[in-house]
């Protein structure tokens, strides 16, 4: 199996300089750890908890930044799409399209993303079981695009709480598609701050290590040089300064996990 | 308080004749029971469990049918919208737009629906708490449209299962917006049939009676003359022939509930 | 079907005078509403959240008080048992033994309770499905005692939260045993106050009305003249002064529910 | 930190020969892997799903077997207790008493176990949050016995399903007490077979590896030479023949986890 890939970046695009700073830093951190790197950021936060949450720079400006990051840093880039119409333009700027969890059942969006030929990372809805994901992947695969990744990002568990069921990782891997573990959204507390989502940043390294030990193709981690000042998802993002230690930790567990298949009882 | 309104119809539009047959029948049943009636049907099932599930007649044909039902039967009509662009044309044909549960956090869709000036019925996401809904309603209200309804349709409870928390009804009513109880989706078993959702039709009258006794403005019930042959949601729809008894039952409990406020301890 | 029975009293016994005061008051309230009444109180709270929670008067003193209430007020009495050895002595003082939810799978306790010949009210564990209860009832019935009641008191839903699934009522009634709805423990927030359980007293009348509308044999309600000063379960108990209104409300819905079977779709 | 300890054995005692065979085998497997070993078996299954489930050899015969295993194999022994009276006699035969999950709030049982001075392993109830466990531990610690272990064994997640929240491991470790992960009960499907619990044996090594990677003091694994013929818990037990591979896997991840503290973000 390939070494772990890391999809990381700020939750939302702020400026070209900011994106380049984070991409450059993360690319070096992942390279040092022998891991692949994909820059991630959103041009639009289309489903903020409340209307007053900041939406982002918009599609046009955002795709320009993403294309520039790709060109200057030389790393692949992923961004999320929310409407079928966004897929084709986004696919010109980025290498991978991401389907948000709430939208993972929207057939037209999945098909539009599949038709671009780009890799498609689908987040499993908080309301779905792992065994519901083959139906989701099949909507994309019907376009002839088999470049699909399935991403675990937590499951509804009571109100304002997510839980990560590690059984989902091998269950989704049984589809044959690579599995991504989203370490920072898995520790979100949806709506937990009233007008915004809370989060438990301190558990992201715990869940990430557990998932990597079980075995995944990639981890997804949002990061920011100052999470508490970030326009979204601050409570669950990892400070950029803490990423070298986290990535090194995951690299170590990834090597051991990939040398050792899970024992079959 | 006004008597209960009933939002009812087939899950998806099949043909004009079929829609008229159901609307005419349901209008009479509700009228006999002293209740208001709104015809409901979808022109597109945009988030079927699997790609092989039937999608529907499409927006153009669907809106024509809905407009015809409204004109010929004289009842208000509600349909669901999935993309911001659909709101304006749909608003010309129908009286109420409905936001699907998975999409209840998509800001642009909520705003586009609000801007039409039509009533907007938002289904609470299976992944949300009742107290998360004021943020959802505020996105619509920000357009100046306060004609908002909040709809309970079940909450994720483990895998492939929904549970109805009756506390959500007074909690959502505390917003001041009318509350709708969706009796047939609340008994869905999402993904429960592998390539389609299962359902427990037998519990729809149980939950509907409980919700009406607690006190709601409206119930939402999908119905079909032959649910097992319906193109979607068959396992949870109520046979049309059983609707007179169900509606009469709910009318009786609605009258008592509206005479008696819930005792405050 | 018989009119609703009401199992009500303070969470734990405080003194004979206190028990008599509540029993007398509740007996009159239920009689005025045309409902049966059973006095309920515990002699020991064997599973308090924390060690500092008050345990109660103990078995010997408690059973004396319960026997005195039964003799002087003339109403049947129910109390909960925690160990097999407690069943026989408790059965001499009371008419009905209650099995706590956490203990509903303890075979020896169920058998010891069954062997007394007294009615046995088993609370469904927060960790059980409704369809798990026939196995529980069968342990009691194996003693030859079919005088069994099954009680819904909420199901684990995330952390520190319970949810009431109203489908459980007809599912448990399908056993043929009478079903009880525990309105005050169903709104408990287990461990929600750190060293004690919290509660949402305001929702007890909501859930009680919903359950009675669906149709139950009995409701269970803890009450106290001053809940905030009660030694346990204060946050979810109903003030005694509010009971006449609550009981009258439930009596009205019970009459209608028992005249109207749930419509079968 | 000490290397991982393994608490392992059959779900219930069958005979002295059987217990010795498993203890001898497991002691060697753990020794080969450099891990500590504690023999585990139950003398009574006091809370079987149904009355027809086999209960076990009983306390007297069971304690004799356990004492013999301890004497002949030279390994420490753990067994579970269900009633306060069982604690003192059990403490003479074994080194560690285990409190079943359903009983983890029963104050008298916790105190009786604490008073024996033996180590006490308390399973976290399926209905509890990790942060509820300090109250549980405090009941034991109040006896002056601080030799306490806290054990994660899954949390209720919908009906007939458990989920393991890996965040619970560091949350419980924050108490300062060693944390045990029960790998085989965590994959139980309570009541999932109607008259018995089902299980997903194939996920026990997945969850065990994840927990060990996060960092625990011990794992608990039930094993049997022929699980499908075992008198209880067959569906989730690990075949004895597969234990060397599983234990070696866990030893490898344990070494790496104990060299590397979880990165703090």
């Amino acid at each position: 199996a390939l070494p772990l890939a890391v999809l990381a970046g700020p939750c939302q695009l702020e400026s070209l300089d900011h994106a380049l700073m984070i991409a450059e830093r993360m690319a070096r951190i992942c390279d040092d750890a022998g891991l692949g790197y994909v820059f991630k950021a959103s041009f639009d936060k289309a489903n903020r908890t409340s209307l007053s949450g900041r939406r982002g720079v918009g599609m046009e400006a955002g795709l320009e930044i993403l294309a520039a990051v790709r060109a200057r840093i030389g790393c692949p880039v992923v961004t999320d799409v929310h409407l079928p119409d966004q897929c084709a333009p986004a696919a010109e700027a980025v290498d991978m399209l991401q389907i948000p969890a709430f939208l993972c059942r929207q057939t037209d969006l999945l098909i539009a993303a599949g038709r671009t030929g780009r890799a498609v990372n689908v987040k499993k809805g908080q309301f779905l079981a792992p065994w519901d994901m083959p139906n989701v992947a099949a909507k994309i695969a019907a376009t002839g695009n088999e470049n699909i990744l399935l991403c675990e990002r937590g499951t509804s568990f009571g109100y304002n709480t997510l839980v990560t069921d590690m059984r989902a990782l091998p269950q989704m891997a049984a589809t044959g598609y690579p599995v991504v573990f989203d370490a920072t959204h898995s520790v979100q507390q949806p709506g937990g701050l009233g007008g915004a989502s809370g989060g438990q940043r301190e558990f992201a390294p715990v869940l990430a290590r557990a998932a990597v030990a079980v075995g995944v193709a990639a981890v997804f981690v949002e990061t920011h040089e100052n999470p508490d000042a970030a326009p979204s998802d601050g409570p669950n993002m990892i400070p950029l300064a803490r990423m070298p230690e986290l990535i090194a930790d995951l690299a170590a567990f990834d090597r051991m996990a990939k040398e050792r298949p899970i024992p079959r009882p």
Side-chain angles (χ1 to χ4, degrees), chain A residues 1-5 149-152 164-182 206-220 249-264:
Chain A
L2 286 172
L4 192 69
L149 301 92
L150 303 179
C151 179
E152 170 63 38
T164 299
D165 183 352
M166 293 290 161
R167 294 172 296 192
L169 303 176
Q171 284 172 318
M172 293 202 294
T175 59
Y177 298 118
V179 171
V180 182
F181 177 67
D182 178 345
V206 173
L207 297 184
R209 184 193 275 192
V212 167
V214 168
V216 289
V219 291
F220 176 109
D249 188 73
L250 299 181
F253 280 91
D254 180 59
R255 275 190 299 273
M256 184 173 283
K258 283 175 183 161
E259 283 162 11
R260 297 179 157 272
I262 296 267
R264 299 267 152 199

Side-chain angles (χ1 to χ4, degrees), chain A residues 54-235:
Chain A
R54 272 205 266 161
R55 284 287 295 263
V57 299
M59 184 165 76
E60 201 177 342
L63 294 180
E64 269 177 42
I65 295 174
L66 291 164
V69 168
R70 179 161 65 158
R72 295 208 212 164
I73 310 294
C75 64
V77 168
V78 57
T79 200
D80 40 347
V81 287
H82 316 278
L83 295 172
D85 288 351
Q86 296 174 335
C87 294
E92 290 181 32
V94 304
D95 306 88
M96 189 190 291
L97 299 176
Q98 182 169 285
I99 307 295
F102 293 158
L103 303 181
C104 73
R105 286 269 298 265
Q106 302 303 313
T107 306
D108 290 341
L109 180 62
L110 294 164
I111 288 175
R115 284 195 179 139
T116 65
R118 292 296 189 190
V120 182
N121 179 31
V122 196
K123 297 212 174 174
K124 178 163 73 62
Q126 299 86 338
F127 43 83
L128 283 190
W131 48 85
D132 296 330
M133 288 299 281
N135 283 317
V136 168
K139 292 182 182 180
I140 302 168
T143 66
N145 182 348
E146 287 278 1
N147 201 348
I148 299 168
L149 301 92
L150 303 179
C151 179
E152 170 63 38
R153 52 90 74 235
T155 302
S156 289
F157 177 67
Y159 292 132
N160 303 124
T161 309
L162 300 172
V163 71
T164 299
D165 183 352
M166 293 290 161
R167 294 172 296 192
L169 303 176
Q171 284 172 318
M172 293 202 294
T175 59
Y177 298 118
V179 171
V180 182
F181 177 67
D182 178 345
T184 44
H185 288 97
S186 294
V187 298
Q188 232 182 8
Q189 296 174 310
L193 300 181
S197 286
Q200 298 178 303
R201 182 186 301 158
E202 68 274 24
F203 292 121
V206 173
L207 297 184
R209 184 193 275 192
V212 167
V214 168
V216 289
V219 291
F220 176 109
V221 187
E222 289 187 342
T223 185
H224 196 275
E225 74 285 1
N226 183 5
D228 295 334
S232 47
D233 268 354

